[in-house]
Amino acid sequence: MCSSDLEISGIDRTGLVNRITDVITKELNINMQSINFQTKEGLFEGEVRMKVFNKEHLDVLIRKIRKVKGITRSEERRVGKECRSRWSPYH
């Protein structure tokens, strides 16, 4: 398992955080370690720290999050040092 941080942003709407956490926990069975969302003027930014199996697992999550209505950006921000050498020579 690898720790990873995911940055997510988009248009704030009722139920959006719930939908995001459903994708993470129910659809992909990912254990979240922390979650933080802030809203301002109808937009939100958030960060989720979680444990994923591998890079492919994280990539599937990013694709699914991007399909949620209201999401404008979803991208990997950080990968735990236990996985950096396996994932990319650039981390």
Side-chain angles (χ1 to χ4, degrees), residues 8-40:
I8 305 169
S9 60
I11 300 166
D12 188 27
R13 65 180 179 83
T14 302
L16 185 61
V17 172
N18 187 49
R19 180 64 188 121
I20 291 168
T21 59
D22 279 352
V23 169
I24 295 168
T25 60
K26 293 180 182 174
E27 291 184 28
L28 291 172
N29 197 31
I30 294 173
N31 184 27
M32 292 187 296
Q33 296 175 312
S34 67
I35 184 170
N36 181 22
F37 284 91
Q38 298 178 359
T39 63
K40 183 177 181 180

Side-chain angles (χ1 to χ4, degrees), residues 36-70:
N36 181 22
F37 284 91
Q38 298 178 359
T39 63
K40 183 177 181 180
E41 299 176 6
L43 302 175
F44 80 91
E45 290 186 350
E47 181 176 296
V48 180
R49 177 167 288 168
M50 67 204 96
K51 292 275 192 179
V52 294
F53 293 112
N54 53 38
K55 177 76 167 137
E56 291 76 27
H57 195 208
L58 180 61
D59 289 343
V60 168
L61 170 63
I62 290 170
R63 283 193 302 273
K64 284 186 169 270
I65 292 288
R66 286 180 179 163
K67 290 180 181 178
V68 173
K69 183 179 178 182

Side-chain angles (χ1 to χ4, degrees), residues 5 9-10 24 30 50 68 71 75 78 81 83 87 91:
D5 290 355
S9 60
I24 295 168
I30 294 173
M50 67 204 96
V68 173
I71 299 296
E75 61 189 39
R78 183 195 68 82
K81 63 183 173 182
C83 295
W87 287 20
H91 279 100

